[in-house]
Amino acid sequence: MPDLLTVLPGGPPGTRVEAPELPPENLRALYRGMLRIRVLDARMLGLQRQGRIGFYGTATGEEAAVVGSAAALRPADWIFPALRQGGAMLLRGMPVAQVIAQCMGNSADVLKGRMQPVHMADRRVNVVSWSSCIGTQLPHAVGAARAAQILGHDTVVMGYLGDGATSEADFHVAMNFAGVWKAPVVLLCQNNQWAISVPFRVQTAAESIAVKAEAYGFPGVRVDGNDVLAVHRVCGEAVARARAGGGPTLVECLTYRMLGHSSSDDPTRYRAEAEVEEWRRRDPIERFRRHLEERRLWSAEEDDRTRAEFEEEIRLAALENERTKPPTLGSMVEDVYKEVPWHLREELGEIETGGL
């Protein structure tokens, strides 16, 4: 193998792990999933800069952590994402058009325009929306895992977080109850080195995030988050252990946020270009592409065709969504009560007639 599977779990830096035995079609699917995120992020950031959507957060540089972990789950397992895991939904079959609809908040959005852009959710792919109040999805993930445990289901839940979320109380609440209940949950931290403008080195005095699991009574694993096969192997083992009743695992994926925290952020104000360039040389997509090419499972020509395919898919989906009407006013009072109560009907009527 080339430079895959380098920095791995549990042991000292440089510990290796064997690559998972995956069929060629699965390896190609992992790469396509990563590449699709990269192309989508670039196009969506462009739409935001053009004023066609209001906000976006990219996963550029973190695609291996997203795809490698999500691919270790079954379709019936549940995902509680953070900001950068929209690619997990795509991997599960959510159409690109639905991602764009959510970012535009139009009537095609399954959330009816109620959530901030990039706060996707869809029960058809078993993904629950996150909140911009950092870390709140983690107790929810543990609670869902506990519910599956009580019901006797073999469902596993994966809850995602960034390194900044480990400084939030909800992280420690989730870790504590996950350990106490031996809940079938994998908490996956994409340690991308920056919590907006706060570097990881001042985020914690611990030697890693993974080591924090010891205090709560379950395993913590640190993995090269830019190596999709390493992430897949480690997460696959954590998911299998959870499904068999072995309890939770905290997985720390060492990776890097190549762009801003969001489209509202300018990272040049707080980090050096030399640091970014160092991580650029570890690009997860380039690493995995070289591996596939050496195994004759991918080529430069196929790469160009696939990128063009994704570009066109996104372009057409954006145009279609821009022609789609906003949600109806009536959607504001739906979905809370079985029957809309009189006072909400009255208020809606006043809005519709211009009385407010």
Coordinates of all heavy atoms in Angstrom, one line a residue, residues 188-283:
L188 N -18.2 9.8 17.5 CA -17.1 10.1 16.5 C -16.7 11.5 16.5 O -17.5 12.4 16.1 CB -17.5 9.6 15.1 CG -16.2 9.6 14.2 CD1 -16.1 8.3 13.4 CD2 -16.2 10.8 13.3
C189 N -15.5 11.8 17.0 CA -15.0 13.2 17.0 C -14.1 13.4 15.8 O -13.1 12.8 15.6 CB -14.3 13.5 18.3 SG -13.5 15.1 18.3
Q190 N -14.5 14.4 14.9 CA -13.7 14.8 13.8 C -12.8 15.9 14.4 O -13.2 17.1 14.4 CB -14.5 15.3 12.6 CG -15.1 14.1 11.9 CD -15.9 14.5 10.7 OE1 -16.9 13.9 10.4 NE2 -15.6 15.6 10.0
N191 N -11.6 15.6 14.9 CA -10.7 16.6 15.5 C -10.0 17.2 14.3 O -9.0 16.8 13.9 CB -9.7 15.9 16.4 CG -8.8 16.9 17.1 OD1 -8.8 18.1 16.7 ND2 -7.9 16.4 17.9
N192 N -10.6 18.4 13.9 CA -10.0 19.1 12.7 C -9.1 20.2 13.1 O -8.8 21.1 12.3 CB -11.1 19.5 11.8 CG -12.1 20.6 12.4 OD1 -11.7 21.2 13.4 ND2 -13.2 20.7 11.8
Q193 N -8.7 20.2 14.4 CA -7.6 21.1 14.9 C -8.1 22.5 15.3 O -7.4 23.2 16.0 CB -6.4 21.2 14.0 CG -6.0 19.9 13.4 CD -5.6 18.8 14.5 OE1 -4.8 19.1 15.4 NE2 -6.1 17.6 14.3
W194 N -9.3 22.8 14.9 CA -9.8 24.2 15.2 C -11.3 24.2 15.5 O -12.1 23.7 14.8 CB -9.6 25.1 13.9 CG -8.2 25.4 13.7 CD1 -7.3 24.7 12.9 CD2 -7.4 26.5 14.3 NE1 -6.1 25.3 12.9 CE2 -6.1 26.4 13.8 CE3 -7.7 27.5 15.2 CZ2 -5.1 27.3 14.1 CZ3 -6.7 28.4 15.5 CH2 -5.4 28.2 15.0
A195 N -11.6 24.8 16.7 CA -13.0 25.1 17.1 C -13.3 26.5 16.7 O -13.0 27.4 17.5 CB -13.2 24.8 18.6
I196 N -13.7 26.8 15.5 CA -13.7 28.1 14.9 C -12.3 28.6 15.0 O -11.4 28.1 14.3 CB -14.8 29.0 15.4 CG1 -16.2 28.3 15.4 CG2 -14.8 30.3 14.6 CD1 -17.3 29.3 15.8
S197 N -12.0 29.6 15.8 CA -10.7 30.2 15.9 C -9.8 29.7 17.0 O -8.7 30.2 17.3 CB -10.8 31.7 15.9 OG -11.5 32.1 17.1
V198 N -10.3 28.7 17.8 CA -9.6 28.2 19.0 C -8.9 27.0 18.6 O -9.5 26.0 18.2 CB -10.6 27.9 20.1 CG1 -9.8 27.4 21.3 CG2 -11.3 29.2 20.5
P199 N -7.5 26.9 18.7 CA -6.8 25.7 18.3 C -6.9 24.6 19.3 O -7.2 24.8 20.5 CB -5.3 26.2 18.2 CG -5.3 27.4 19.1 CD -6.7 28.0 19.1
F200 N -6.7 23.4 18.8 CA -6.9 22.2 19.7 C -5.9 22.3 20.9 O -6.3 21.8 21.9 CB -6.6 20.9 18.8 CG -6.7 19.7 19.7 CD1 -7.8 19.3 20.3 CD2 -5.5 18.9 19.9 CE1 -7.9 18.1 21.0 CE2 -5.6 17.8 20.6 CZ -6.8 17.4 21.2
R201 N -4.7 22.8 20.7 CA -3.8 22.8 21.8 C -4.2 23.6 23.0 O -3.7 23.3 24.1 CB -2.4 23.4 21.3 CG -2.5 24.9 21.0 CD -1.1 25.4 20.5 NE -1.2 26.8 20.2 CZ -1.5 27.4 19.1 NH1 -1.8 26.5 18.1 NH2 -1.5 28.7 18.9
V202 N -5.2 24.5 22.9 CA -5.7 25.1 24.1 C -7.2 24.7 24.4 O -7.8 25.3 25.2 CB -5.7 26.7 23.9 CG1 -4.3 27.2 23.8 CG2 -6.6 27.2 22.8
Q203 N -7.6 23.6 23.7 CA -8.9 23.1 24.0 C -8.9 22.1 25.2 O -10.0 22.0 25.8 CB -9.4 22.3 22.7 CG -10.9 22.0 22.6 CD -11.7 23.2 22.4 OE1 -12.5 23.6 23.2 NE2 -11.5 23.9 21.2
T204 N -7.8 21.4 25.4 CA -7.8 20.5 26.5 C -6.3 20.3 26.9 O -5.4 20.5 26.2 CB -8.4 19.1 26.0 OG1 -8.3 18.2 27.1 CG2 -7.6 18.6 24.8
A205 N -6.2 19.9 28.2 CA -4.8 19.5 28.7 C -4.5 18.1 28.5 O -3.4 17.6 28.7 CB -4.7 19.9 30.2
A206 N -5.5 17.3 28.1 CA -5.3 15.9 27.9 C -4.5 15.6 26.6 O -4.4 16.5 25.7 CB -6.7 15.2 27.7
E207 N -3.8 14.5 26.5 CA -3.0 14.2 25.4 C -3.8 13.9 24.1 O -3.2 14.0 23.0 CB -2.1 13.0 25.7 CG -2.9 11.7 25.9 CD -2.0 10.5 26.4 OE1 -0.9 10.8 26.9 OE2 -2.4 9.4 26.2
S208 N -5.0 13.6 24.3 CA -5.9 13.4 23.1 C -7.3 13.5 23.6 O -7.6 13.7 24.8 CB -5.7 12.0 22.5 OG -6.2 11.0 23.4
I209 N -8.2 13.4 22.6 CA -9.7 13.4 22.9 C -10.0 11.9 23.3 O -10.8 11.7 24.2 CB -10.5 13.9 21.8 CG1 -10.3 15.4 21.7 CG2 -12.0 13.5 21.9 CD1 -10.9 16.1 20.5
A210 N -9.5 11.0 22.5 CA -9.8 9.6 22.8 C -9.6 9.1 24.2 O -10.3 8.3 24.7 CB -9.0 8.7 21.8
V211 N -8.5 9.7 24.8 CA -8.2 9.2 26.2 C -9.3 9.6 27.2 O -9.4 9.0 28.3 CB -6.8 9.8 26.6 CG1 -7.0 11.3 26.9 CG2 -6.3 9.1 27.8
K212 N -10.1 10.6 26.8 CA -11.2 11.0 27.8 C -12.2 9.8 28.0 O -12.9 9.8 29.0 CB -11.9 12.2 27.2 CG -11.0 13.4 27.1 CD -11.8 14.6 26.5 CE -10.8 15.8 26.2 NZ -10.5 16.5 27.5
A213 N -12.3 8.9 27.1 CA -13.2 7.8 27.3 C -12.9 6.9 28.5 O -13.8 6.3 29.1 CB -13.3 6.9 26.0
E214 N -11.6 6.9 28.9 CA -11.2 6.0 30.0 C -12.0 6.4 31.3 O -12.3 5.6 32.1 CB -9.7 6.1 30.2 CG -8.9 5.5 29.1 CD -7.4 5.6 29.3 OE1 -7.0 5.8 30.5 OE2 -6.6 5.5 28.4
A215 N -12.1 7.7 31.5 CA -12.8 8.2 32.7 C -14.2 7.8 32.8 O -14.8 7.7 33.9 CB -12.7 9.7 32.8
Y216 N -14.8 7.5 31.6 CA -16.2 7.1 31.6 C -16.5 5.6 31.4 O -17.6 5.2 31.3 CB -16.9 7.9 30.5 CG -16.9 9.4 30.7 CD1 -16.0 10.2 30.1 CD2 -17.8 9.9 31.7 CE1 -16.0 11.6 30.4 CE2 -17.8 11.3 32.0 CZ -16.9 12.1 31.3 OH -16.9 13.5 31.6
G217 N -15.4 4.8 31.4 CA -15.5 3.4 31.5 C -15.7 2.7 30.2 O -16.2 1.5 30.1
F218 N -15.2 3.3 29.1 CA -15.3 2.5 27.8 C -14.1 2.9 26.9 O -13.4 3.9 27.2 CB -16.6 2.8 27.1 CG -17.0 4.2 26.8 CD1 -16.6 4.8 25.6 CD2 -17.8 4.9 27.7 CE1 -17.0 6.1 25.3 CE2 -18.1 6.2 27.4 CZ -17.7 6.8 26.2
P219 N -13.9 2.2 25.8 CA -12.7 2.5 25.0 C -12.7 3.8 24.2 O -13.8 4.2 23.8 CB -12.7 1.3 24.0 CG -13.7 0.3 24.6 CD -14.7 1.0 25.4
G220 N -11.5 4.3 24.1 CA -11.3 5.5 23.2 C -10.3 5.1 22.2 O -9.3 4.5 22.5
V221 N -10.5 5.5 20.9 CA -9.5 5.1 19.8 C -9.2 6.3 19.1 O -10.1 7.1 18.7 CB -10.2 4.0 18.9 CG1 -9.3 3.7 17.8 CG2 -10.6 2.8 19.6
R222 N -7.9 6.5 18.7 CA -7.5 7.6 17.9 C -7.0 7.1 16.6 O -6.2 6.1 16.5 CB -6.3 8.3 18.6 CG -6.1 9.8 18.2 CD -5.0 10.4 18.9 NE -5.2 11.8 19.0 CZ -4.2 12.7 19.3 NH1 -3.0 12.3 19.5 NH2 -4.4 14.0 19.4
V223 N -7.5 7.6 15.5 CA -7.2 7.1 14.2 C -6.9 8.2 13.2 O -7.3 9.4 13.4 CB -8.5 6.3 13.6 CG1 -9.7 7.2 13.5 CG2 -8.2 5.6 12.3
D224 N -6.1 7.9 12.2 CA -5.8 8.9 11.1 C -7.1 9.2 10.4 O -7.5 8.4 9.5 CB -4.7 8.3 10.2 CG -4.3 9.2 9.1 OD1 -4.9 10.3 8.9 OD2 -3.4 8.9 8.3
G225 N -7.6 10.3 10.6 CA -8.9 10.7 10.0 C -8.8 11.0 8.6 O -9.9 11.3 7.9
N226 N -7.6 11.1 8.0 CA -7.5 11.4 6.5 C -7.3 10.1 5.8 O -6.9 10.1 4.6 CB -6.3 12.3 6.3 CG -6.7 13.8 6.6 OD1 -7.8 14.0 7.2 ND2 -6.0 14.7 6.1
D227 N -7.4 9.0 6.4 CA -7.2 7.6 5.8 C -8.6 6.9 5.9 O -9.0 6.4 6.9 CB -6.2 6.9 6.6 CG -5.9 5.5 6.1 OD1 -6.7 4.9 5.3 OD2 -4.8 4.9 6.4
V228 N -9.3 6.9 4.8 CA -10.7 6.4 4.8 C -10.7 4.9 5.2 O -11.7 4.5 5.8 CB -11.3 6.6 3.4 CG1 -10.7 5.8 2.3 CG2 -12.8 6.4 3.5
L229 N -9.7 4.1 4.8 CA -9.8 2.7 5.1 C -9.5 2.5 6.6 O -10.1 1.6 7.2 CB -8.7 1.9 4.3 CG -9.0 1.9 2.8 CD1 -8.0 1.0 2.1 CD2 -10.4 1.4 2.5
A230 N -8.6 3.3 7.2 CA -8.3 3.2 8.6 C -9.6 3.6 9.4 O -10.0 2.9 10.4 CB -7.2 4.1 9.0
V231 N -10.2 4.6 9.0 CA -11.5 5.1 9.7 C -12.5 4.0 9.6 O -13.2 3.7 10.6 CB -12.0 6.4 9.1 CG1 -13.4 6.8 9.7 CG2 -11.0 7.5 9.3
H232 N -12.7 3.4 8.4 CA -13.7 2.4 8.2 C -13.4 1.2 9.0 O -14.4 0.6 9.6 CB -13.7 2.0 6.7 CG -14.9 1.1 6.3 ND1 -14.9 -0.2 6.6 CD2 -16.0 1.4 5.6 CE1 -16.1 -0.7 6.1 NE2 -16.8 0.3 5.6
R233 N -12.2 0.8 9.1 CA -11.8 -0.4 9.9 C -12.1 -0.2 11.4 O -12.8 -1.0 12.1 CB -10.3 -0.7 9.7 CG -9.8 -1.9 10.6 CD -10.5 -3.2 10.2 NE -10.1 -4.3 11.0 CZ -9.1 -5.2 10.6 NH1 -8.6 -5.0 9.4 NH2 -8.8 -6.2 11.3
V234 N -11.7 1.0 11.9 CA -11.8 1.3 13.4 C -13.3 1.4 13.7 O -13.8 0.9 14.7 CB -11.0 2.5 13.7 CG1 -11.4 3.0 15.1 CG2 -9.5 2.2 13.7
C235 N -14.0 2.2 12.9 CA -15.5 2.4 13.1 C -16.3 1.1 12.9 O -17.2 0.8 13.7 CB -16.0 3.4 12.2 SG -15.5 5.1 12.6
G236 N -15.9 0.2 12.0 CA -16.5 -1.0 11.8 C -16.4 -1.9 13.1 O -17.4 -2.6 13.5
E237 N -15.2 -1.9 13.7 CA -15.0 -2.7 14.9 C -15.8 -2.1 16.0 O -16.4 -2.8 16.8 CB -13.5 -2.7 15.2 CG -12.7 -3.5 14.2 CD -11.2 -3.4 14.5 OE1 -10.8 -2.6 15.3 OE2 -10.5 -4.2 13.8
A238 N -15.9 -0.7 16.1 CA -16.7 -0.1 17.2 C -18.2 -0.4 17.0 O -18.9 -0.6 18.0 CB -16.4 1.4 17.2
V239 N -18.6 -0.3 15.8 CA -20.1 -0.6 15.5 C -20.4 -2.0 15.9 O -21.4 -2.3 16.5 CB -20.4 -0.3 14.1 CG1 -21.8 -0.8 13.7 CG2 -20.4 1.3 13.8
A240 N -19.5 -3.0 15.5 CA -19.8 -4.4 15.7 C -19.8 -4.6 17.2 O -20.6 -5.4 17.7 CB -18.7 -5.2 15.1
R241 N -18.9 -4.0 18.0 CA -18.9 -4.2 19.4 C -20.2 -3.7 20.0 O -20.8 -4.3 20.9 CB -17.7 -3.5 20.0 CG -17.5 -3.6 21.5 CD -16.1 -3.2 22.0 NE -15.8 -1.9 21.6 CZ -14.8 -1.6 20.7 NH1 -14.1 -2.6 20.1 NH2 -14.5 -0.4 20.4
A242 N -20.6 -2.5 19.6 CA -21.8 -1.9 20.1 C -23.0 -2.8 19.8 O -23.9 -3.0 20.7 CB -22.1 -0.5 19.5
R243 N -23.1 -3.3 18.6 CA -24.2 -4.2 18.2 C -24.3 -5.5 19.0 O -25.3 -6.0 19.2 CB -24.1 -4.5 16.7 CG -25.5 -4.8 16.1 CD -25.4 -5.0 14.6 NE -24.8 -4.0 13.8 CZ -25.3 -2.9 13.4 NH1 -26.6 -2.6 13.8 NH2 -24.6 -2.0 12.6
A244 N -23.1 -6.0 19.4 CA -23.0 -7.2 20.1 C -23.2 -7.0 21.6 O -23.2 -8.0 22.4 CB -21.7 -7.9 19.9
G245 N -23.5 -5.8 22.0 CA -23.8 -5.5 23.5 C -22.5 -5.1 24.2 O -22.6 -5.1 25.5
G246 N -21.4 -4.8 23.5 CA -20.2 -4.5 24.2 C -20.1 -3.0 24.6 O -19.1 -2.6 25.2
G247 N -21.1 -2.2 24.3 CA -21.1 -0.8 24.8 C -20.5 0.2 23.8 O -20.2 -0.2 22.7
P248 N -20.3 1.4 24.3 CA -19.9 2.5 23.4 C -18.4 2.5 23.1 O -17.6 1.9 23.8 CB -20.3 3.7 24.2 CG -20.2 3.3 25.6 CD -20.6 1.8 25.7
T249 N -18.1 3.4 22.1 CA -16.7 3.7 21.8 C -16.6 5.2 21.4 O -17.5 5.7 20.8 CB -16.2 2.9 20.6 OG1 -16.3 1.5 20.9 CG2 -14.7 3.1 20.4
L250 N -15.5 5.8 21.9 CA -15.2 7.2 21.4 C -14.1 7.1 20.4 O -13.1 6.5 20.7 CB -14.8 8.1 22.6 CG -14.3 9.5 22.2 CD1 -15.4 10.3 21.6 CD2 -13.7 10.2 23.4
V251 N -14.4 7.5 19.1 CA -13.4 7.5 18.1 C -13.0 8.9 17.8 O -13.8 9.7 17.5 CB -14.0 6.8 16.8 CG1 -12.9 6.8 15.7 CG2 -14.4 5.3 17.1
E252 N -11.7 9.1 17.9 CA -11.1 10.4 17.5 C -10.4 10.3 16.2 O -9.5 9.6 16.0 CB -10.2 10.9 18.6 CG -9.5 12.2 18.2 CD -8.4 12.6 19.2 OE1 -8.1 11.8 20.1 OE2 -7.8 13.7 19.0
C253 N -11.0 11.0 15.2 CA -10.4 11.1 13.8 C -9.5 12.3 13.7 O -10.0 13.5 13.7 CB -11.5 11.1 12.8 SG -12.4 9.6 12.6
L254 N -8.2 12.1 13.6 CA -7.3 13.3 13.4 C -7.4 13.7 12.0 O -7.0 13.0 11.0 CB -5.9 12.9 13.8 CG -5.6 12.8 15.2 CD1 -4.2 12.2 15.4 CD2 -5.7 14.1 15.9
T255 N -7.9 14.9 11.8 CA -8.1 15.5 10.4 C -7.8 17.0 10.4 O -7.3 17.5 11.4 CB -9.5 15.0 9.9 OG1 -9.6 15.5 8.5 CG2 -10.6 15.6 10.7
Y256 N -8.3 17.7 9.4 CA -8.0 19.1 9.3 C -9.1 19.8 8.5 O -9.5 19.3 7.4 CB -6.7 19.4 8.7 CG -6.2 20.8 8.9 CD1 -5.7 21.2 10.1 CD2 -6.2 21.7 7.9 CE1 -5.2 22.5 10.3 CE2 -5.8 23.0 8.1 CZ -5.3 23.4 9.3 OH -4.9 24.7 9.5
R257 N -9.6 20.9 9.0 CA -10.6 21.7 8.3 C -9.8 22.7 7.3 O -9.1 23.6 7.8 CB -11.4 22.5 9.2 CG -12.2 23.7 8.6 CD -13.2 24.3 9.5 NE -12.7 24.8 10.7 CZ -12.1 26.0 10.9 NH1 -11.9 26.8 9.8 NH2 -11.7 26.4 12.1
M258 N -9.8 22.4 6.0 CA -9.0 23.1 5.1 C -9.5 24.5 4.8 O -8.7 25.4 4.5 CB -8.9 22.3 3.7 CG -8.2 21.0 3.8 SD -6.5 21.2 4.4 CE -5.8 22.2 3.1
L259 N -10.8 24.7 5.0 CA -11.4 26.0 4.7 C -11.9 26.7 6.0 O -11.5 26.2 7.1 CB -12.6 25.9 3.7 CG -12.2 25.3 2.3 CD1 -13.4 25.1 1.4 CD2 -11.1 26.0 1.6
G260 N -12.7 27.7 5.9 CA -13.2 28.3 7.1 C -14.2 27.5 7.9 O -14.7 26.5 7.4
H261 N -14.4 27.9 9.1 CA -15.4 27.1 9.9 C -16.8 27.1 9.2 O -17.5 26.1 9.2 CB -15.6 27.8 11.3 CG -16.7 27.3 12.1 ND1 -16.6 26.0 12.7 CD2 -17.9 27.7 12.4 CE1 -17.7 25.8 13.4 NE2 -18.5 26.8 13.2
S262 N -17.1 28.2 8.6 CA -18.3 28.3 7.7 C -18.1 29.3 6.7 O -17.0 29.9 6.6 CB -19.5 28.6 8.6 OG -19.5 30.0 9.0
S263 N -19.1 29.6 5.9 CA -19.0 30.6 4.9 C -18.9 32.0 5.5 O -18.6 33.0 4.8 CB -20.2 30.5 3.9 OG -21.4 30.6 4.6
S264 N -19.1 32.1 6.8 CA -19.1 33.4 7.5 C -17.7 33.7 8.1 O -17.5 34.7 8.7 CB -20.1 33.5 8.6 OG -21.4 33.3 8.0
D265 N -16.7 32.7 7.9 CA -15.5 32.8 8.6 C -14.3 33.0 7.7 O -14.3 32.5 6.6 CB -15.3 31.4 9.4 CG -14.0 31.3 10.1 OD1 -13.6 32.3 10.7 OD2 -13.4 30.2 10.0
D266 N -13.3 33.8 8.2 CA -12.1 34.0 7.4 C -10.9 33.4 8.2 O -10.4 34.0 9.2 CB -11.8 35.5 7.2 CG -10.5 35.8 6.5 OD1 -9.9 34.8 6.1 OD2 -10.2 37.0 6.4
P267 N -10.5 32.2 7.9 CA -9.5 31.5 8.7 C -8.1 32.1 8.6 O -7.2 31.8 9.4 CB -9.5 30.1 8.1 CG -10.0 30.2 6.7 CD -11.0 31.3 6.8
T268 N -7.9 33.0 7.6 CA -6.5 33.6 7.5 C -6.3 34.5 8.6 O -5.1 34.9 8.8 CB -6.4 34.4 6.1 OG1 -7.3 35.4 6.1 CG2 -6.7 33.4 4.9
R269 N -7.3 34.9 9.4 CA -7.1 35.8 10.5 C -6.5 35.1 11.7 O -6.1 35.8 12.6 CB -8.4 36.5 10.8 CG -9.0 37.3 9.7 CD -10.3 38.0 10.1 NE -10.0 39.0 11.1 CZ -11.0 39.8 11.7 NH1 -12.2 39.6 11.3 NH2 -10.7 40.7 12.6
Y270 N -6.6 33.8 11.8 CA -6.1 33.2 13.0 C -5.2 31.9 12.8 O -4.8 31.3 13.8 CB -7.3 32.7 13.9 CG -8.4 31.9 13.2 CD1 -8.2 30.5 13.0 CD2 -9.5 32.5 12.7 CE1 -9.1 29.7 12.4 CE2 -10.5 31.7 12.1 CZ -10.3 30.3 11.9 OH -11.2 29.6 11.3
R271 N -4.9 31.6 11.5 CA -4.0 30.4 11.4 C -3.0 30.7 10.2 O -3.4 31.4 9.3 CB -4.7 29.1 11.2 CG -5.5 29.0 9.9 CD -6.3 27.7 9.9 NE -6.9 27.5 8.6 CZ -7.8 26.5 8.3 NH1 -8.2 25.7 9.3 NH2 -8.3 26.4 7.1
A272 N -1.9 30.0 10.2 CA -0.8 30.3 9.3 C -1.0 29.4 8.0 O -1.5 28.3 8.1 CB 0.5 29.9 9.9
E273 N -0.7 30.0 6.9 CA -0.8 29.3 5.6 C 0.1 28.1 5.6 O -0.2 27.0 5.0 CB -0.5 30.2 4.4 CG -0.6 29.6 3.1 CD -2.0 28.9 2.8 OE1 -3.0 29.5 3.3 OE2 -2.1 27.9 2.0
A274 N 1.2 28.1 6.3 CA 2.2 27.0 6.3 C 1.5 25.8 6.9 O 1.7 24.6 6.5 CB 3.4 27.4 7.1
E275 N 0.7 26.0 7.9 CA 0.0 24.9 8.6 C -1.1 24.3 7.6 O -1.2 23.1 7.5 CB -0.8 25.4 9.8 CG -1.6 24.3 10.5 CD -2.4 24.9 11.7 OE1 -1.7 25.4 12.6 OE2 -3.6 24.9 11.7
V276 N -1.8 25.1 6.9 CA -2.8 24.6 5.9 C -2.1 23.8 4.8 O -2.5 22.8 4.4 CB -3.5 25.8 5.3 CG1 -4.5 25.3 4.3 CG2 -4.2 26.6 6.4
E277 N -0.9 24.3 4.4 CA -0.2 23.7 3.3 C 0.3 22.3 3.8 O 0.3 21.3 3.0 CB 1.0 24.5 2.9 CG 1.8 24.0 1.7 CD 0.9 23.7 0.5 OE1 0.0 24.5 0.2 OE2 1.1 22.7 -0.2
E278 N 0.7 22.2 5.0 CA 1.2 20.9 5.5 C 0.1 19.9 5.5 O 0.3 18.7 5.1 CB 1.7 21.1 7.0 CG 2.1 19.8 7.6 CD 2.5 20.0 9.1 OE1 2.6 21.1 9.6 OE2 2.6 18.9 9.8
W279 N -1.1 20.3 5.9 CA -2.2 19.4 5.8 C -2.7 19.1 4.4 O -3.3 18.1 4.1 CB -3.4 19.9 6.7 CG -3.1 19.6 8.2 CD1 -2.5 20.4 9.1 CD2 -3.5 18.4 8.8 NE1 -2.5 19.7 10.3 CE2 -3.1 18.5 10.2 CE3 -4.2 17.2 8.5 CZ2 -3.3 17.5 11.1 CZ3 -4.4 16.2 9.4 CH2 -3.9 16.4 10.7
R280 N -2.5 20.1 3.5 CA -2.9 19.9 2.1 C -2.2 18.7 1.5 O -2.7 18.0 0.7 CB -2.7 21.2 1.3 CG -3.3 21.1 -0.1 CD -3.2 22.5 -0.8 NE -4.1 23.4 -0.3 CZ -3.8 24.6 0.4 NH1 -2.6 24.9 0.6 NH2 -4.8 25.4 0.8
R281 N -1.0 18.5 1.9 CA -0.2 17.4 1.4 C -0.7 16.0 1.9 O -0.4 15.0 1.4 CB 1.3 17.5 1.8 CG 2.0 18.7 1.2 CD 3.5 18.6 1.4 NE 3.9 18.9 2.7 CZ 4.2 20.1 3.2 NH1 4.1 21.1 2.4 NH2 4.5 20.2 4.5
R282 N -1.6 16.1 2.9 CA -2.2 14.8 3.4 C -3.7 14.7 2.9 O -4.5 14.0 3.5 CB -2.2 14.9 5.0 CG -0.9 15.1 5.6 CD -1.0 15.2 7.1 NE 0.1 15.8 7.7 CZ 0.2 16.1 9.0 NH1 -0.8 15.7 9.8 NH2 1.3 16.7 9.5
D283 N -4.0 15.4 1.9 CA -5.4 15.4 1.3 C -6.0 14.0 1.3 O -5.4 13.1 0.6 CB -5.4 16.0 0.0 CG -6.8 16.2 -0.6 OD1 -7.6 15.2 -0.6 OD2 -7.1 17.4 -1.0

